[in-house]
């Protein structure tokens, strides 16, 4: 059985048993009047306790039209930058808006250097690349995000060291932030351009807001096209039928209710680049709370290890169904359409799924402790490297150290056995989250560990083990909410690496390397305090350590 819902250039295809599972949920949503209520911005859809927060968080529904007011100012700003010879755009920002901006730029074929990291190797490389032609977009809704503030300070210092000042320095920064934020005040004081963010749009729902559009527009993307794509879908969102976003939301919510709370997502010719990272943040931060949620497991292709069907997994294809022989395995859900429409589609579907799950899609209640731990470590050390959680590693092999509670690896003598122990310890219906606090450009091979671990886990356990991968500290603004607030069945593998060349943060008593390590340790402490199996693999030499891990996991 197959159900295809198409509108506004978007197609949602539901197959097999998923059709029947979602129909019951869909009928209830329609009888409750959800499509019309959500499209009109009704704040009571998620319960009376969430009404006030929701009332201040539904502006994303209007963005396909509201954001058109940005087109003129953005064209002017882009022209001024090009006229000044600033043709390299760097985005300093974290979270859903940064994920969206990267997806827009990469899908549009534009060069945008996204720094949503505190890794000194990655930032150092960015500082050494055409600094004289660089424009920095500093994006933070609150205006006080610690990573974004550190990156702004680092670039200010680099420009000063290069002799760039006066009016030239003023035009080097564009701030995207909420009105009244500390960043807005600082930018105004220093003469930088400010583009106001939408105060009624949470960051992860802001793909079509200034936060998502400004960096990509300055990099040369025709962002008006995205608004056109979203506008083509928008009228259907209030309809009870032939509404692909409502149908998608019913599948997502129904999947979680029936125990399929892992969405194994593979791209198959969607034409979208880096879209999965944005989707992962949207779903994890919105739905992962109260012991419930949906965990996207992003895999490399429809034939990648882990794109399997188990009792807790729902296979999702972005793009077309893989019909050709050997192309992959049947997916219960496939979604296709242009980028602008897909942003709106998934935002709406996520809000619907959260109603089905009974959670507030607009708060993030469980990430504050990690941030507080990191801040406390930095204050305690007064500029020196934070003290490691374990004074000695549990296991050392070549360039690799493994840190964990001793009982977790009791009796283990080598790295292959250690990884087998980690994988065999993943809970039934659980998952393994790999979080690499490394350089996602220079240490890009670390991402390949996901598929190796998934393949090894499948061989070891005779059934797929869901393995996710994320870069730190990006994960703190993406999957971290699900890790703490979602179902408590995760195991965690953190990867850190030695720093060769650290970067000072002007005006702060710590370096980027120290900030990165404090963030890693702060998050690890929370996971361990919750009783979750949590391991830290430290690479004494990054290149050697990654090669060693790859060799071990391939054997």
């Amino acid at each position: 059985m197959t159900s295809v819902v198409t509108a506004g250039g978007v197609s949602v295809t539901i197959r097999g048993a998923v059709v029947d599972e979602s129909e019951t949920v869909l009928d209830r949503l329609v009888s409750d009047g959800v499509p019309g209520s959500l499209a009109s911005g009704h704040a009571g859809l998620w319960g009376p306790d969430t009404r006030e927060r929701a009332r201040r968080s539904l502006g994303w529904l209007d963005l396909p039209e509201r954001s058109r007011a940005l087109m003129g100012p953005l064209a002017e700003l882009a022209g001024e930058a090009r006229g000044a010879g600033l043709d390299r755009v760097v985005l300093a920002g974290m979270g859903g808006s940064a994920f969206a901006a990267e997806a827009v730029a990469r899908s549009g074929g534009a060069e945008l250097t996204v720094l949503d990291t505190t890794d000194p190797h990655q930032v150092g490389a960015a500082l050494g690349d055409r600094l004289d032609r660089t424009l920095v977009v500093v994006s933070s809704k609150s205006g006080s995000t610690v990573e974004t503030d550190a990156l702004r300070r680092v670039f200010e210092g680099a420009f000063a060291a290069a002799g760039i000042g006066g009016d030239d320095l003023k035009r080097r920064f564009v701030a995207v932030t909420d009105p009244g934020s500390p960043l807005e005040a600082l930018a105004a004081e220093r003469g930088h351009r400010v583009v106001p963010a939408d105060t009624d749009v949470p960051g992860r729902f802001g793909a079509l807001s200034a936060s998502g559009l400004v960096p990509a527009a300055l990099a040369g993307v025709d962002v008006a096209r995205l608004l056109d794509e979203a506008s083509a879908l928008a009228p259907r969102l209030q309809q009870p039928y032939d509404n692909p976003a409502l149908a998608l939301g019913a599948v997502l919510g129904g999947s979680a209710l029936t125990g399929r709370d892992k969405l194994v997502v593979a791209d198959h010719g969607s034409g979208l680049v880096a879209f999965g990272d944005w989707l992962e943040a949207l779903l994890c931060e919105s739905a992962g709370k109260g012991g419930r949620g949906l965990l996207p497991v992003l895999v490399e292709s429809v034939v990648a290890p882990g794109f399997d069907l188990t009792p807790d997994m729902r296979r999702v294809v972005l793009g077309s169904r893989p019909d050709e022989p050997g192309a992959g395995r049947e997916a219960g859900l496939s979604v296709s359409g242009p980028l602008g429409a897909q942003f709106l589609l998934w935002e709406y579907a996520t809000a619907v799924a959260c109603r089905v799950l009974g959670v507030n899609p607009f708060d993030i209640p469980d990430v504050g402790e990690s941030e507080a731990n990191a801040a406390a470590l930095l204050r305690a050390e007064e500029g020196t490297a934070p003290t490691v959680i374990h004074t000695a590693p549990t296991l050392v092999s070549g360039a690799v150290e493994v840190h964990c509670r001793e009982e977790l690896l009791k009796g283990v003598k080598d790295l292959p056995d250690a990884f087998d122990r980690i994988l065999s310890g993943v809970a039934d219906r659980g998952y393994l989250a790999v979080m690499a606090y490394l350089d996602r450009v220079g240490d890009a091979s670390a991402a390949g560990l996901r598929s190796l671990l998934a393949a090894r886990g499948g061989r070891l356990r005779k059934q797929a083990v869901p393995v996710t991968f994320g870069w730190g500290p990006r994960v703190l603004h993406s999957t971290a909410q699900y890790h703490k607030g979602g179902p408590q069945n995760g195991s965690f593998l953190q990867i850190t690496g030695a720093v060769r060349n650290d970067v000072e943060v002007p005006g702060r008593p710590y370096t980027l390397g120290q900030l990165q390590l404090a963030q890693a340790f702060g998050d690890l402490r929370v996971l361990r305090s919750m009783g979750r199996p949590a391991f830290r693999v430290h690479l004494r030499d990054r290149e050697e350590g990654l090669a060693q891990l790859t060799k071990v996991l391939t054997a």
Side-chain angles (χ1 to χ4, degrees), residues 52-401:
E52 181 57 29
R53 183 62 177 263
R55 186 186 63 79
R56 295 180 282 109
S57 303
L58 289 167
W60 52 274
L61 289 161
D62 303 325
L63 290 177
E65 296 306 320
R66 186 197 301 182
S67 289
R68 293 185 187 278
L70 291 171
M71 297 303 99
L74 282 183
E76 179 183 349
L77 192 57
E80 291 176 1
R82 287 192 297 270
L86 304 180
D87 57 1
R88 175 185 178 244
V89 180
V90 172
L91 169 60
M94 304 298 298
S97 296
F99 293 134
E102 183 167 21
V104 173
R106 292 184 62 186
S107 297
E111 180 190 6
L112 175 65
T113 300
V114 178
L115 290 180
D116 51 356
T117 183
T118 48
D119 185 82
H121 293 181
Q122 187 174 341
V123 176
L127 292 172
D129 181 15
R130 296 167 289 165
L131 189 66
D132 60 320
R133 293 158 52 188
T134 294
L135 171 69
V136 181
V137 179
V138 183
S139 183
S140 170
K141 280 181 60 61
S142 69
S144 57
T145 309
V146 63
E147 300 96 335
T148 306
D149 176 72
L151 292 168
R152 175 190 61 77
R153 291 169 178 273
V154 166
F155 271 92
E156 283 183 346
F159 285 138
I164 297 171
D167 290 340
D168 191 11
L169 180 61
K170 291 179 182 179
R171 67 172 67 98
R172 296 288 178 139
F173 290 94
V174 174
V176 182
T177 188
D178 282 353
S181 76
L183 178 58
E184 183 195 48
L186 180 70
E189 175 187 321
R190 299 189 178 179
H192 304 317
R193 292 288 292 270
V194 177
V195 181
D198 296 274
T199 57
D200 58 351
V201 178
R204 59 191 176 279
F205 283 84
L208 298 174
S209 72
S211 301
L213 299 181
V214 169
L218 294 176
V221 177
D222 176 13
V223 295
R225 175 178 52 82
L226 298 175
L227 301 180
D228 292 340
E229 293 164 355
S231 293
L233 175 65
R236 291 300 186 101
L237 299 184
Q238 60 185 333
Q239 302 300 323
Y241 301 105
D242 298 323
N243 180 342
L246 184 69
L248 177 58
V251 172
L252 298 179
S255 295
L257 289 181
T258 57
R260 294 188 184 275
D261 57 1
K262 318 291 190 310
L263 302 178
V264 189
V265 182
D267 191 284
H268 191 72
S270 73
L272 309 181
V273 185
F275 181 78
D277 293 332
W278 172 80
L279 177 59
E280 180 181 51
L282 174 70
L283 284 169
C284 284
E285 290 199 326
S286 300
K289 56 201 70 166
R292 286 158 283 181
L294 288 160
L295 177 66
V297 180
L298 306 181
V299 301
E300 297 75 16
S301 72
V302 293
V303 295
F307 193 65
D308 294 286
L309 186 61
T310 66
D312 61 336
M313 295 186 192
R314 171 76 68 216
R315 288 194 294 242
V316 181
V317 170
L318 298 177
S320 60
R321 176 182 178 182
D323 285 325
E324 62 268 25
R329 285 143 281 179
E330 181 64 62
L333 176 67
S334 58
V335 182
S336 62
L339 181 59
Q342 288 230 38
F343 280 140
L344 183 60
L345 173 89
W346 284 96
E347 289 167 353
Y348 182 103
T350 297
V352 168
C354 287
R355 174 183 168 86
V356 174
L357 288 173
V359 299
N360 179 1
F362 306 119
D363 66 348
I364 313 176
D366 299 303
V367 299
E369 190 176 356
S370 293
E371 297 173 355
N373 280 349
L377 282 167
L378 291 170
R379 284 196 302 269
E381 296 302 324
E382 295 183 353
T384 63
T387 304
V388 295
I389 296 175
H390 294 282
T391 56
T394 306
L395 177 70
V396 177
S397 175
V400 177
E401 301 174 358

Side-chain angles (χ1 to χ4, degrees), residues 11-34:
S11 181
V12 173
T13 303
I14 310 163
R15 300 184 184 88
V18 187
V19 176
D20 290 335
E21 292 173 6
S22 63
E23 281 293 340
T24 302
V25 177
L26 182 61
D27 289 344
R28 179 61 183 270
L29 291 168
V30 171
S31 66
D32 288 348
V34 169

